């Protein structure tokens, strides 16, 4: 009740002012002003000038006749606002319809990025990421392109390609020397005049030092497959150092020099392996899974069908079936135009200077 006089004062003041300033057209402003200020009050009809009798007059008439209409409209407005606020609050809690769109917008950005990341990972990041997040991931061959347990995806069809230069391949044999199988393999390689690379286990070399000497004497490359065929990703730094130093000692005892390349067992590599093996890490591009397929024909087909120019082929000279397959592999690949060489020769032929701690699975042209 105390407000009423104030409103009336301002009303009349406004009226006077406006009439002073613009006496010819005061009604327009007054009309609006009064409507805004004096809600619910009756407005003298004489304030409304004839010039604005259109819509303004009708509204006034309605206002006069149905004063409760404004109140009803206000109640409706307030009700709908309150309803809207309540809905908003609910949505904030449970995130239904309204929020999901926004959430989708937000998650879309990461989602669009995540598919890209694997690609980036493959190129450069993969070696570090799995190591930091889950050490176990490192143990799986995912770390590097060629993986032992991953069925090696056929990289390039074998079928003789249009020869634009030399076609080179490196056959490699792991886990020996085997007193039972390796001499037979050496005989085949000699007969075929093929040089290969042997990644020997230190323990095995200790048992068959003569075979290790023979491998090197016959022009093959001999390199490290660690002392005990350890999963280097599971070892401490000290463990990695020991594996490396131990096979280095065995090589030096038998051959008078240490190995200059290492093939980490299972293809497992992490940053400690890179740092403390401190040699070029040789993986592979073709894996016939000869440990799984003890069948010379299958091994031969798997190698021949997946070999490409510059490939490093993984085999094991501890399996009779693998050795049985080698002569046919050599014949097939030679017929397809391939030259056989050691890993180091292949890298050199492709102009690659191998770096310590870096991993290599092939040397493409
Ligand atoms: Ni092995």
């Amino acid at each position: 009740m105390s407000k009423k006089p104030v409103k009336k004062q301002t009303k009349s003041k406004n009226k006077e002012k406006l009439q002073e300033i613009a006496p010819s057209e005061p009604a327009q402003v007054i009309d609006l002003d009064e409507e805004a200020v004096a809600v619910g009050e009756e407005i003298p009809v004489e304030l409304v000038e004839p010039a604005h009798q259109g819509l303004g007059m009708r509204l006034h008439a309605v206002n006069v006749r149905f004063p409760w209409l404004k109140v009803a409209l206000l109640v409706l407005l307030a009700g709908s606002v309150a309803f809207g606020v309540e809905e908003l609050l609910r949505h904030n809690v449970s995130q239904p319809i309204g929020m999901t769109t926004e959430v989708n917008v937000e998650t879309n950005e990461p989602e669009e990025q995540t598919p890209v990341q694997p690609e980036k990972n493959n190129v450069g990041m993969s070696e570090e990421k799995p190591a930091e997040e889950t050490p176990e991931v490192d143990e799986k061959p995912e770390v590097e392109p060629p993986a032992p347990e991953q069925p090696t995806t056929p990289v390039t069809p074998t079928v003789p390609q249009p020869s634009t230069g030399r076609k080179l391949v490196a056959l490699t044999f792991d886990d020996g020397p085997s007193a039972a199988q390796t001499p037979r393999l050496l005989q085949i390689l000699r007969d075929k005049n093929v040089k290969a690379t042997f990644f020997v286990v230190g323990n095995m070399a200790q048992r068959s030092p003569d075979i290790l000497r023979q491998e090197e004497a016959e022009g093959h490359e001999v390199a490290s497959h660690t002392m005990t065929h350890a999963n280097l990703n599971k070892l401490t730094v000290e463990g990695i150092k020991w594996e490396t130093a131990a096979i280095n000692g065995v090589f030096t005892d038998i051959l008078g020099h240490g190995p200059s390349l290492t093939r980490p067992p299972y293809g497992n590599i992490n940053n400690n392996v890179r740092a403390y093996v401190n040699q070029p890490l040789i993986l592979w591009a073709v894996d016939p899974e000869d440990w799984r397929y003890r069948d010379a024909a299958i091994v031969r087909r798997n190698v021949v069908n997946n070999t490409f120019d510059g490939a490093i082929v993984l085999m094991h000279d501890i399996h009779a079936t693998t050795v049985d397959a080698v002569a046919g592999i050599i014949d097939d690949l030679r017929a397809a135009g391939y030259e056989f060489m050691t890993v180091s020769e292949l890298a050199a032929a492709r102009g690659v200077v191998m770096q310590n701690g870096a991993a290599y699975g092939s040397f493409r042209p």
Side-chain angles (χ1 to χ4, degrees):
M1 294 298 281
S2 59
K3 285 180 183 175
K4 269 200 171 181
V6 178
K7 280 183 184 174
K8 280 180 181 174
Q9 279 180 3
T10 52
K11 201 197 310 176
S12 55
K13 274 185 187 174
N14 283 343
K15 189 171 69 178
E16 288 167 9
K17 274 187 186 175
L18 288 163
Q19 277 171 342
E20 283 174 14
I21 295 165
S24 60
E25 287 207 359
Q28 182 183 2
V29 187
I30 290 170
D31 186 9
L32 294 171
D33 189 39
E34 303 235 329
E35 281 247 284
V37 174
V39 175
E41 283 185 31
E42 290 191 9
I43 294 161
V45 181
E46 60 265 25
L47 284 177
V48 181
E49 291 289 307
H52 302 279
Q53 274 180 356
L55 182 60
M57 190 60 191
R58 284 176 198 168
L59 286 173
H60 276 292
V62 169
N63 187 32
V64 170
R65 285 184 197 172
F66 311 105
W68 47 267
L69 198 64
K70 281 183 184 175
V71 178
L73 285 172
L74 277 175
V75 168
L76 270 177
L77 184 65
S80 59
V81 166
F83 179 78
V85 169
E86 190 191 352
E87 282 295 294
L88 273 176
L89 290 174
R90 273 193 211 156
H91 289 180
N92 278 335
V93 174
S94 59
Q95 292 190 349
I97 317 156
M99 290 299 293
T100 43
T101 14
E102 291 178 19
V103 168
N104 279 343
V105 172
E106 288 172 7
T107 48
N108 272 348
E109 293 175 9
E111 277 177 30
E112 284 169 13
Q113 287 172 357
T114 32
V116 181
Q117 282 172 347
E119 295 175 6
K120 286 179 183 174
N121 283 350
N122 285 341
V123 177
M125 299 283 292
S126 65
E127 301 133 11
E128 294 176 8
K129 263 217 166 180
E132 291 168 4
E133 291 175 357
T134 42
E136 290 184 357
V137 176
D138 262 351
E139 292 154 16
K140 292 194 173 181
E142 297 166 8
V143 183
E144 288 297 333
E149 292 173 9
Q150 283 176 343
T152 340
T153 45
V155 192
T156 306
T158 28
V159 192
Q161 305 154 354
S163 54
T164 54
R166 303 164 75 193
K167 291 164 69 177
L168 312 179
V169 62
L171 303 183
T172 68
F173 297 93
D174 287 14
D175 295 359
S178 158
Q181 304 302 331
T182 307
R184 195 161 64 91
L185 172 60
L186 287 171
Q187 182 63 51
I188 293 166
L189 295 174
R190 204 182 311 129
D191 291 345
K192 299 287 186 184
N193 192 27
V194 164
K195 305 301 181 225
T197 304
F198 291 89
F199 291 99
V200 308
V201 176
N203 284 343
M204 301 287 279
Q206 274 180 322
R207 278 177 237 156
S208 305
D210 287 342
I211 300 178
L212 182 61
R213 278 191 211 98
Q214 185 187 349
E215 287 172 347
E216 183 171 70
E218 296 185 355
H220 305 294
E221 184 164 27
V222 288
S224 167
H225 198 37
T226 74
M227 184 65 189
T228 67
H229 203 273
N231 180 347
L232 296 179
N233 282 8
K234 285 192 171 178
L235 296 188
T236 61
V237 167
E238 289 308 311
I240 296 171
K241 285 179 178 176
W242 183 88
E243 285 284 341
T244 305
I247 191 167
N248 205 59
V250 169
F251 264 61
T252 305
D253 287 347
I254 299 172
L255 302 173
H257 62 84
S260 57
L261 305 175
T262 291
R263 171 168 284 165
Y266 318 105
N268 285 349
I269 296 171
N270 62 22
N271 288 336
N272 283 341
V273 173
R274 293 176 186 282
Y276 295 103
V277 171
N278 200 29
Q279 286 182 354
L281 303 170
I282 308 302
L283 299 171
W284 56 89
V286 178
D287 179 5
E289 295 190 297
D290 60 338
W291 52 270
R292 183 199 301 271
Y293 301 111
R294 305 297 179 90
D295 180 314
I298 293 175
V299 172
R300 175 178 178 175
R301 192 176 65 225
N302 285 350
V303 170
V304 171
N305 285 345
N306 292 297
T307 293
F308 58 89
D309 187 3
I312 297 175
V313 179
L314 168 67
M315 288 182 278
H316 299 84
D317 56 326
I318 55 173
H319 303 311
T321 43
T322 297
V323 175
D324 292 343
V326 169
I329 288 169
I330 292 171
D331 290 345
D332 290 350
L333 292 180
R334 193 165 262 161
Y338 282 94
E339 296 177 48
F340 301 89
M341 54 189 59
T342 68
V343 167
S344 290
E345 289 168 345
L346 175 58
R350 290 286 143 81
V352 176
V353 178
M354 291 187 283
Q355 305 295 317
N356 292 345
Y360 305 90
S362 66
F363 297 97
R364 294 176 183 268

